[in-house]
Amino acid sequence: MENSIQSRNSVVSGGITKETLKELFEKAEKAVENAYVPYSHFRVGAALLTADGEIFTGVNVENRSFGATNCAERTAVFSAVAAGKKEFTALAVCAPDAGYPVPPCGICRQVISEFMEKDSPVIFGPVWEKVVFSSVSGLYPEDSLHELAR
Ligand code: THU
């Protein structure tokens, strides 16, 4: 699907348009301001679109016990689930301190696969102009332990 986003105003995948993804990325970019990163100084923001059209944001929240750190993507997912949402149709991730697009880590790929369809867009970049357009299955082709779900 990476090639299907070349045309303007088009549906990228999963029924989501490029305009919607840009709006979502801008929310992630804004959320970055709240990242709690005293150890890495590497800020990440995420924005998650729910099936009913709401947007939940998240940031990375670090801890002096480093393993307790939570990535921006999972913060967004957990905030949305805590608010009663369980179906998400797109995810945008902004890591402005990197000069290149930083994709979700392995744990976050597993977590988003729980709540998003395979063709749902996942986009990531330091700025909109450098965003990479992928999808849940693009990042996580073999959906681990799916047989245990539902
Ligand atoms: N981080 C995220 O929040 N999301 C990613 O996709 C990659 C990594 C955070 C974790 C940690 O706070 C910092 O970035 C450096 O790894």
Side-chain angles (χ1 to χ4, degrees), residues 37 40 42 44 59-62 69-73 93 102-105 108:
V37 292
S40 74
F42 188 86
V44 186
V59 296
N60 50 339
V61 182
E62 299 188 341
T69 290
N70 209 64
C71 291
E73 297 89 323
V93 185
V102 175
C105 79
C108 289

Coordinates of all heavy atoms in Angstrom, one line a residue, residues 37 40 42 44 59-62 69-73 93 102-105 108, ligand 1:
V37 N 10.6 13.4 28.9 CA 11.8 12.7 28.4 C 13.1 13.2 29.1 O 14.1 13.6 28.4 CB 11.9 12.8 26.9 CG1 10.8 12.0 26.2 CG2 11.8 14.3 26.4
S40 N 16.2 10.5 27.8 CA 16.7 10.4 26.4 C 16.6 11.8 25.7 O 17.3 11.9 24.7 CB 15.8 9.4 25.7 OG 14.5 10.0 25.4
F42 N 14.5 12.6 23.9 CA 13.9 12.2 22.6 C 12.4 12.2 22.6 O 11.8 11.3 23.2 CB 14.5 10.8 22.2 CG 14.2 10.4 20.8 CD1 15.0 10.8 19.7 CD2 13.0 9.6 20.5 CE1 14.7 10.4 18.4 CE2 12.8 9.2 19.2 CZ 13.6 9.6 18.2
V44 N 8.5 12.1 21.6 CA 7.6 11.4 20.6 C 6.2 11.7 21.0 O 5.8 11.8 22.1 CB 7.8 9.9 20.6 CG1 7.0 9.2 19.5 CG2 9.3 9.5 20.5
V59 N 2.1 10.6 24.5 CA 3.5 11.0 24.5 C 4.3 9.9 25.2 O 3.8 9.1 25.9 CB 3.8 12.3 25.2 CG1 3.0 13.5 24.4 CG2 3.4 12.3 26.6
N60 N 5.6 9.9 24.9 CA 6.5 9.0 25.7 C 6.6 9.6 27.1 O 6.8 10.8 27.3 CB 7.8 8.7 25.0 CG 8.6 9.9 24.5 OD1 8.0 10.9 24.3 ND2 9.9 9.6 24.3
V61 N 6.5 8.7 28.0 CA 6.7 9.0 29.5 C 7.8 8.1 30.0 O 7.6 6.9 30.2 CB 5.3 8.8 30.2 CG1 5.5 9.2 31.7 CG2 4.2 9.5 29.6
E62 N 8.9 8.8 30.3 CA 10.1 8.0 30.7 C 10.1 7.9 32.3 O 9.3 8.5 33.0 CB 11.3 8.7 30.2 CG 11.4 8.7 28.7 CD 12.7 9.2 28.1 OE1 13.5 9.8 28.8 OE2 12.9 8.9 26.9
T69 N 9.5 2.9 31.2 CA 9.1 3.9 30.1 C 8.0 3.4 29.3 O 8.0 2.3 28.9 CB 10.4 4.3 29.3 OG1 11.3 5.0 30.1 CG2 10.0 5.1 28.1
N70 N 7.1 4.3 28.9 CA 6.0 4.0 28.0 C 6.1 4.8 26.7 O 6.3 6.1 26.8 CB 4.6 4.3 28.7 CG 3.5 3.4 28.2 OD1 3.6 2.2 28.3 ND2 2.6 4.0 27.5
C71 N 6.1 4.2 25.6 CA 6.1 4.9 24.3 C 4.9 5.7 24.1 O 3.8 5.4 24.6 CB 6.3 3.9 23.2 SG 7.9 3.0 23.1
A72 N 5.0 6.7 23.2 CA 3.9 7.6 22.8 C 2.7 6.8 22.3 O 1.6 7.1 22.6 CB 4.4 8.6 21.8
E73 N 3.0 5.8 21.4 CA 2.0 5.0 20.8 C 1.1 4.3 21.8 O -0.1 4.3 21.7 CB 2.6 4.0 19.8 CG 3.4 4.6 18.7 CD 4.8 4.8 19.0 OE1 5.2 5.2 20.1 OE2 5.6 4.6 18.0
V93 N 2.6 9.1 14.2 CA 3.6 9.2 15.2 C 4.6 10.3 14.7 O 5.1 10.2 13.5 CB 4.4 7.8 15.3 CG1 5.4 8.0 16.5 CG2 3.4 6.7 15.6
V102 N 10.9 7.6 12.5 CA 11.1 6.5 13.5 C 9.8 5.7 13.6 O 8.7 6.2 14.0 CB 11.4 7.2 14.8 CG1 11.5 6.1 15.9 CG2 12.7 7.9 14.7
P103 N 9.8 4.4 13.2 CA 8.6 3.6 13.3 C 8.3 3.1 14.7 O 9.2 3.1 15.5 CB 8.9 2.4 12.3 CG 10.4 2.3 12.4 CD 10.9 3.7 12.6
P104 N 7.1 2.7 15.0 CA 6.8 2.2 16.3 C 7.7 1.0 16.7 O 8.1 0.2 15.8 CB 5.3 1.7 16.2 CG 4.8 2.5 15.1 CD 5.9 2.7 14.1
C105 N 8.0 0.9 17.9 CA 8.9 -0.2 18.4 C 8.1 -1.6 18.4 O 6.9 -1.6 18.1 CB 9.4 0.0 19.8 SG 8.2 -0.3 21.1
C108 N 5.0 -1.8 20.7 CA 3.9 -1.0 20.2 C 3.2 -1.7 19.0 O 2.0 -1.6 18.9 CB 4.4 0.4 19.9 SG 4.8 1.3 21.4
Ligands
THU1 N1 9.9 5.9 21.8 C1 8.5 6.1 21.5 O1 7.8 6.8 22.3 N2 8.0 5.6 20.4 C2 8.7 5.0 19.4 O2 8.2 4.7 18.4 C3 10.2 4.8 19.6 C4 10.7 5.2 20.9 C5 10.4 6.6 23.0 C6 10.8 5.7 24.1 C7 11.9 6.5 24.8 O3 11.3 7.4 25.7 C8 12.5 7.3 23.7 O4 11.6 7.3 22.6 C9 13.9 6.8 23.2 O5 13.8 5.4 22.9

